Amino acid sequence: MSSYSTPQQYIAGRWREGRGAASLHVTNPANGEVLATYAAAHPQDIDEALSAAQDGFSRWSALTALDRSACLRKAAALLRERAPLLGLQLTLEQGKPLAESGREIEQAAQMLEWFAEEGRRCYGHTIPSRWPTTRFHTLRQPIGPVAAFTPWNFPVMLSASKLGAALAAGCSVVLKPAEETPLAVSGLVRCLVEAGVPANAVQLLLGVPAEVSSALIASPTIRKVSFTGSQAVGRQIAALAGQHLKPVTLELGGHAPVIVCADADPLAAVQTLVQIKLRNAGQICANPSRFFVHRSRYEAFVAAFASVARATRMGDGRDAATTMGPLASERRVRAVRALVDDARAQGARLVCGGEPGPGLGFFYAPTVLAEVPAHARIMQEEPFGPLVPVAPFDTLDEAIGLANSLPVGLAAFGFTQDLHSARRIGEEVRAGAVALNTVALMQPETPFGGVLDSGIGRENGLQGIEPYLTTRTIATA
Ligand SMILES: NC(=O)c1ccc[n+]([C@@H]2O[C@H](COP(=O)([O-])OP(=O)(O)OC[C@H]3O[C@@H](n4cnc5c(N)ncnc54)[C@H](O)[C@@H]3O)[C@@H](O)[C@H]2O)c1
Ligand SMILES: O=S(=O)(O)c1ccc(CO)cc1
């Protein structure tokens, strides 16, 4: 497969093989074929990346914000130029259809541009003094070298968000992407380096996750940790960060409730929801995943979702006719299948789907389940797949209670024409972001992150650069 090359480490300004004993494999989820095998980073590679990151921090933080901004803008332009190849590599390693890969590369470019501008606005303050002869002001300074860990679902966009924010603030970054999807992220790092980001300001470590994260977080060089991924791994990262007193940003997904009220048009709600539900085969942290529909609209909603689900064309993301690709790995297929089997065993009605897709790839059909009891695992655990579990409700109080019944809160969705209901859903459902009559939630300009067990801190928006800055107070006589 000529479009897919062997992923390499980028350490101290050189692209090279890792020296670790472990071999890692990249598998095309559309057909199960191994695309590449590469050597993991060795502890010595990690040490070299850390020394380089220290040096990179000195060089990069010494540049003006304007110079850093220019590099990030140029990197965004390079990313767009290279989108056809990077998009193809992303589809090969991750499975999403080419159109979605192109969208992700564009979103990544937009992230870099947003932070290129925000980096120019890291203002300090002048503070009124209690003493006539003393002046106080504050300086915003980069916090230091950053360890960033990104997942396989949006490897390029989520890496661009962390790299963009940290680099714009003047920090150097050691990035560890998911071992399953390393190549398109490497392309992003290449764009940054070729755009003029000094070699040591960015390191890319591909390795055994726990080895890399434990070494990086324990190192005194690293001053900030940022992770996106599962709650289980997030807890491990947070524990390590706490042990070493490093500030941490965590984006850990959720289990987004959808409330469709009696006054909503159920067909319009389905048409809107499907735009996000089947994107990336449902593997989006903000994916709508628990559907509560007013009893008067319930059957129409279930029937409409099933009809859209049945019309989905599953296939290889390179095929123009494909509307939904495979899941990212075989373990994801096992996980969603187990949730569907459990729901059925608990009395849910299988309306459509509930079976694997074509060929040897990691496909699972869009699946609509009705009358799903609240205690079924699928209503408790984030499915991270193309599953639509639906349950009826009678009052808005009941729906909000069901939405708030889990200890997570990343995204939530509401469909209603009633201002009072919209206000209640917007203000009472516990979530970092609530979308009303829309599924548009994420853009570079809006803060993104969870409440409760969905994470710590915010990425993007005005808040996105904050975690990478520290504030120095200067008193002058
Ligand atoms: N918040 C998100 O955007 C996001 C993204 C991907 C996955 N998830 C969640 O993860 C769940 C399971 O995903 P999975 O099947 O890939 O399992 P998983 O939790 O084992 O995640 C594996 C990923 O986490 C990384 N990882 C594992 N251990 C690590 C460590 N000690 N240090 C650093 N990184 C580590 C790996 O690189 C790998 O890419 C999904 O159901 C979903 O809830 C969330
Ligand atoms: O597809 S998007 O709605 O743009 C989206 C939202 C959130 C995330 C985080 O996993 C990725 C993509």
Side-chain angles (χ1 to χ4, degrees), residues 197-376:
V197 174
N200 283 351
V202 189
Q203 319 290 317
L204 180 73
L205 284 178
L206 311 176
V208 177
E211 283 177 19
V212 178
S213 59
S214 56
L216 291 182
I217 296 170
S219 162
T221 299
I222 295 299
R223 300 313 321 161
K224 164 79 192 166
V225 178
S226 182
F227 170 82
T228 297
S230 68
Q231 263 183 39
V233 177
R235 285 180 201 279
Q236 294 170 32
I237 298 278
L240 272 170
Q243 195 184 330
H244 296 282
L245 292 179
K246 310 280 165 76
V248 63
T249 299
L250 299 174
E251 200 278 86
L252 306 179
H255 197 343
V258 180
I259 298 177
V260 181
C261 294
D263 56 72
D265 174 348
L267 305 190
V270 168
Q271 287 309 326
T272 304
L273 282 163
V274 80
Q275 294 164 27
I276 187 169
K277 179 63 234 182
L278 301 182
R279 189 185 300 155
N280 205 19
Q283 302 163 114
I284 302 181
C285 51
N287 202 243
S289 48
R290 294 181 288 149
F291 297 78
F292 303 116
V293 183
H294 191 270
R295 204 173 292 281
S296 63
R297 302 297 192 191
Y298 182 76
E299 286 305 338
F301 182 91
V302 169
F305 227 126
S307 126
V308 171
R310 287 193 194 98
T312 303
R313 288 284 299 269
M314 270 187 290
D316 189 314
R318 288 171 293 178
D319 181 345
T322 293
T323 56
M324 191 186 92
L327 297 183
S329 63
E330 202 163 15
R331 71 174 180 276
R332 295 305 318 144
V333 178
R334 284 195 298 272
V336 298
R337 189 191 302 133
L339 291 180
V340 172
D341 291 349
D342 172 76
R344 296 182 74 185
Q346 303 295 326
R349 170 167 58 103
L350 180 69
V351 184
C352 69
E355 60 201 4
L360 297 175
F362 309 140
F363 293 98
Y364 197 86
T367 297
V368 177
L369 290 156
E371 293 94 72
V372 184
H375 61 265

Side-chain angles (χ1 to χ4, degrees), residues 176-191:
K176 190 209 78 68
E179 61 278 20
E180 298 92 339
T181 52
L183 194 64
V185 176
S186 310
L188 164 66
V189 170
R190 271 182 205 278
C191 290

